């Protein structure tokens, strides 16, 4: 018997080459193979007669070969094999492309089971490249439910299937981690059945049950892990901040905080006084003013002798935070520094020196803050902005630069409550559910290409009134993905043919960091009228004078992403608009986009997005900041997710410390899940 942790090379036929191919998919051990779940299934169980075959509906049928297969050489690289087969109900011509196998195997007068779909051509039906095997062999490729695996170069589905099967035959599947009581309550398959059933289900219904179990298990483990983390954090201590009065800070602000901002600040101050490290999520829709809440926290931390760090996902955003906060903080005697990857080495070194010796109180930066070279002398407060762009891992790495520092994470991505609990289950949450006064809703329109002249006229009108416009395109360059408007080309068209008299500039992710900053700063300063950009401007960018957001080929974006983009306008006092253009005529797509025209409420949009796309997509994106879930490909049911969550909460409450084999297997699994996700956990 082999062990789950054994390398894949213990399997027959797996040498260095195969191992490397598998590694491309992060498959290193037998366990990885066994946990490489199919992303779907092909139901090949249906057996019909030739007369019952329907066009484009693949099915199995049993038939006799009626002639000796003829192989003809059409041209270099193209050989055709033709053969006729028949059963008692009819005859059918089969064609195989470049299949020496078919030519050699299919024998006149013998019976085979085929699986394929007929298609009509030249007035008759024929079938191309069916798979086949003899009635006595298999069932391997016919008469079964065939799992369809996520693949990697060099490994076919058949090979993957064989490897997984082999792994399951030489070692036991992972141990049960779900308590029997939980399995009973939610009708969950036991592990020893589910791992076989997911790879070789006897029926589609069994495949569904197996999938449900895997999803349930993963979320159960994940939420149990978060609950334990939270419990262990609760044991840590922090010196309470003695002086939490924010008067000078409030005096320096150009506006009064909203009620919701004040409540969030009060939550933070209560954490600061509590004697344990803060772990708080500030969740607020775009434009709700999260930055100022973070600033209040920074002010308090620095005043109490700590250093603070604010990490943003893009250089543009870090730069913008730096610019806007420096103006506020420097008069208050807080020494700030900006640290981004694209800064000259020498400058980075100086700033790192200043952080290490404590002459800088507050660092704003990008991932550069995480590098080993960045050391703080007394980091007491860590803030991540737009947390959904970071993994829990990065949050933890920044925290590790202090000793149990306070942690504040900010996210504008309105995440439906269920998912929020999953993603941030280890955090306390403050919600900013109120926009600063004077904000108006952004009127949103969905239009087709025929509106182009009107869109152009509208852009011009906004500019004439002294405002600025964003135009967002889904691609950087032409031809990257078929039929998507490309920012670089579109910027040129707008500048040269549509608005020769206006100032059009271009911003995309492939520009150098310094170039991006310069372009963005220029636009913010009012030196350009129209900024054509890719989604680099999605998060956080704040240019209050911009009143129009045009999104080209809006169907290419997710609803939540569109909402984020729309949030770039409506930030000043002036009426703002968002125009979504699409060339798509699909009713479902249009309905989806219309949801955005109906509401400005990010949470409702996120719920809608979730309903339409399912949590699989929500988690599938690299943006979620979640650990890499094995089941992300399975297409998860919201219901299963909710069940797993309440089951884990209940179980932790009632029997979290019980000493059963399941409980210790669960603790081990939690350990590996979080390790895999984050490297280090605080
Ligand atoms: P987000 O929550 O999207 O990060 P920001 O912090 O960027 O929002 O704030 C959006 C804009 O609103 C900024 O221009 C900011 O200066 C302004 N703002 C924040 N709080 C208030 C307030 N209480 N009153 C007026 N304007 C505010
Ligand atoms: Mg922000």
């Amino acid at each position: 018997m082999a062990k789950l942790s054994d390398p894949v090379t213990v399997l027959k036929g797996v040498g260095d080459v195969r191992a490397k191919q598998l590694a491309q998919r992060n498959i290193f051990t037998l366990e990885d193979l066994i946990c490489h779940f199919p992303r779907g299934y092909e139901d090949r169980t249906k057996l019909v007669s030739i007369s019952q075959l329907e066009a484009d509906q693949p099915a199995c049928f049993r038939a006799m070969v009626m002639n000796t297969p003829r192989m003809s050489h059409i041209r270099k690289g193209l050989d055709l094999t033709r053969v006729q087969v028949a059963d008692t109900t009819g005859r059918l011509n089969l064609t195989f492309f470049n299949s020496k196998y078919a030519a050699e195997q299919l024998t006149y007068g013998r019976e085979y089971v085929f699986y394929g779909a007929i298609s009509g051509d030249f007035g008759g039906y024929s079938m191309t490249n069916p798979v086949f095997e003899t009635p006595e062999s298999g069932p391997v490729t016919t008469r079964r439910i065939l799992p369809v695996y996520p693949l990697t170069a060099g490994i076919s589905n058949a090979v993957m299937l064989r490897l997984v099967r082999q792994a399951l035959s030489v070692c036991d599947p992972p141990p049960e981690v779900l308590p029997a009581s939980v399995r009973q309550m939610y009708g969950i398959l036991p592990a020893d059945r589910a791992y076989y059933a997911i790879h070789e289900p006897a029926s589609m219904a069994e495949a569904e049950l197996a999938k449900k179990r895997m999803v349930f298990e993963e979320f159960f483990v994940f939420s149990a892990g978060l609950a334990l983390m939270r419990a262990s954090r609760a044991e840590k201590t922090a010196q309470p901040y003695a002086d939490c009065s924010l008067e000078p800070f409030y005096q320096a602000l150009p506006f009064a905080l909203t009620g919701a901002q004040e409540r969030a600040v009060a939550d933070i101050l209560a954490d600061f006084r509590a004697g344990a490290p803060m772990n708080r999520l500030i969740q607020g829709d775009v434009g709700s003013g999260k930055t100022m809440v973070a600033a209040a926290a920074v002010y308090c931390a620095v005043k109490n002798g700590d250093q603070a760090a604010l990490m943003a996902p893009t250089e543009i955003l870090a730069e913008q935070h730096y610019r806007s906060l420096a103006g506020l903080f420097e008069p208050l005697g807080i020494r700030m520094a900006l640290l981004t990857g694209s800064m000259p080495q020498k400058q980075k070194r100086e700033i790192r020196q200043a952080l290490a010796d404590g002459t800088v109180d507050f660092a704003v930066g990008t991932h550069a803050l995480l590098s080993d070279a960045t050391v703080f002398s007394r980091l007491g407060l860590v803030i991540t902005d737009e947390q959904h762009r970071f993994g829990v891992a990065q949050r933890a790495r920044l925290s590790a630069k202090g000793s149990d520092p306070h942690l504040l994470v900010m996210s504008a991505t309105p995440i439906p409550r269920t998912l929020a609990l999953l993603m941030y289950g280890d955090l306390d949450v403050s919600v900013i559910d109120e926009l600063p006064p004077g904000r108006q809703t952004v009127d949103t329109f969905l239009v087709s290409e025929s509106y182009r002249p009107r869109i152009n006229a509208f852009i011009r009108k906004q500019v004439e009134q002294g405002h600025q416009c964003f135009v967002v395109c889904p691609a950087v360059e032409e031809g990257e993905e078929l039929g998507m408007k490309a920012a670089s080309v579109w910027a040129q068209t707008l500048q040269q043919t549509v608005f020769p008299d206006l100032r059009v500039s271009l911003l995309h992710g492939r520009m150098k960091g310094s170039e991006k900053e310069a372009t963005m700063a220029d636009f913010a300063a009012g030196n350009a009228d129209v900024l054509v950009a890719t989604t680099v401007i999605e998060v956080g960018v704040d240019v209050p004078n911009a009143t129009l957001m045009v999104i080209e080929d809006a169907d290419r974006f997710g609803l939540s992403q569109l909402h984020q983009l729309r949030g770039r306008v409506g930030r000043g006092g002036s009426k703002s608009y968002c125009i979504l253009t699409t060339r798509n005529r699909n009713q479902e797509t249009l309905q989806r986009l219309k949801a955005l025209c109906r509401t400005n409420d990010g949470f409702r949009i996120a719920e809608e997005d979730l309903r339409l796309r399912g949590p699989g997509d929500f988690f599938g994106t690299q943006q979620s900041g979640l650990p890499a879930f094995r089941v992300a490909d399975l297409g998860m049911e919201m219901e299963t997710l909710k069940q797993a969550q309440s089951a884990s909460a209940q179980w932790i409450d009632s029997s979290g410390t019980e000493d059963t084999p399941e409980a210790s297997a669960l603790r081990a699994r939690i350990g590996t899940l979080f390790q895999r996700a984050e490297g280090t956990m605080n």
Side-chain angles (χ1 to χ4, degrees), residues 465-478:
Q465 292 174 353
H467 295 306
Q468 292 162 284
C469 307
F470 291 108
V471 176
V472 173
C473 299
V476 181
E477 275 158 41
E478 198 81 46

Side-chain angles (χ1 to χ4, degrees), residues 55-98:
D56 304 320
Q57 303 277 337
C60 293
F61 59 98
R62 186 173 166 155
M64 183 179 284
V65 173
M66 302 305 286
N67 56 10
T68 300
R70 277 183 299 122
M71 183 145 162
S72 44
H73 184 69
I74 304 296
R75 58 174 156 77
K76 192 169 182 320
L78 181 61
D79 292 313
L80 287 192
T81 303
R82 285 183 231 260
V83 65
Q84 194 178 61
V85 299
D87 66 8
T88 54
T89 69
R91 285 168 180 263
L92 187 64
N93 290 321
L94 308 182
T95 308
F96 296 88
F97 289 103
N98 296 331

Side-chain angles (χ1 to χ4, degrees), residues 452-651:
R452 187 60 63 190
R454 278 196 256 177
I455 299 173
N456 290 341
F458 197 63
I459 293 177
R460 184 172 288 283
K461 191 168 141 210
Q462 293 301 312
V463 173
E464 275 166 3
Q465 292 174 353
H467 295 306
Q468 292 162 284
C469 307
F470 291 108
V471 176
V472 173
C473 299
V476 181
E477 275 158 41
E478 198 81 46
E480 276 170 41
E481 252 192 79
L482 227 53
M484 293 202 309
K485 201 152 257 161
S488 53
V489 181
W490 194 235
Q492 212 173 13
T493 310
L494 287 182
Q495 179 70 87
Q496 288 172 359
T497 52
V498 190
F499 304 121
D501 53 326
L502 304 186
R503 297 161 301 176
V504 178
S505 63
L506 170 69
L507 182 71
H508 60 74
R510 293 211 201 127
M511 286 160 52
K512 277 213 305 273
S514 52
E515 233 181 312
K516 277 191 278 193
E517 268 166 35
T519 308
M520 201 56 229
D522 223 38
F523 186 68
N527 296 330
D529 305 307
V530 178
L531 181 66
V532 181
T534 56
T535 51
V536 285
I537 60 152
E538 177 192 342
V539 289
V541 166
D542 190 35
V543 181
N545 189 44
T547 50
L548 173 60
M549 165 66 67
V550 179
I551 303 174
E552 299 290 344
D553 292 326
D555 49 286
R556 300 296 182 137
F557 303 94
L559 283 188
S560 295
Q561 200 178 14
L562 289 170
H563 179 65
Q564 281 274 335
L565 285 168
R566 171 169 65 181
R568 300 307 112 220
V569 297
R571 302 188 140 237
S574 307
K575 180 76 199 152
S576 296
Y577 307 88
C578 175
I579 300 177
L580 310 172
T581 80
T582 180
R583 293 175 276 181
N584 196 307
R585 307 228 156 259
N586 181 296
Q587 273 310 314
E588 229 172 89
T589 308
L590 298 180
Q591 279 311 319
R592 184 169 72 91
L593 293 174
K594 278 186 191 146
L596 221 67
C597 304
R598 281 194 301 271
T599 177
N600 270 262
D601 180 338
F603 283 91
R604 278 183 50 196
I605 289 165
E607 296 280 0
E608 183 72 5
D609 214 7
L610 185 66
R611 196 178 63 75
L612 292 170
R613 297 195 303 168
D617 267 4
F618 232 98
F619 288 120
T621 55
Q622 281 300 307
Q623 296 200 6
S624 64
L626 283 167
F629 282 105
R630 286 164 170 165
V631 294
D633 275 347
L634 294 183
M636 293 164 278
E637 283 295 316
M638 206 58 215
E639 206 40 45
T640 307
L641 221 142
K642 285 183 192 159
Q643 289 176 352
Q645 215 157 4
S646 62
S648 84
Q650 236 173 31
W651 183 73

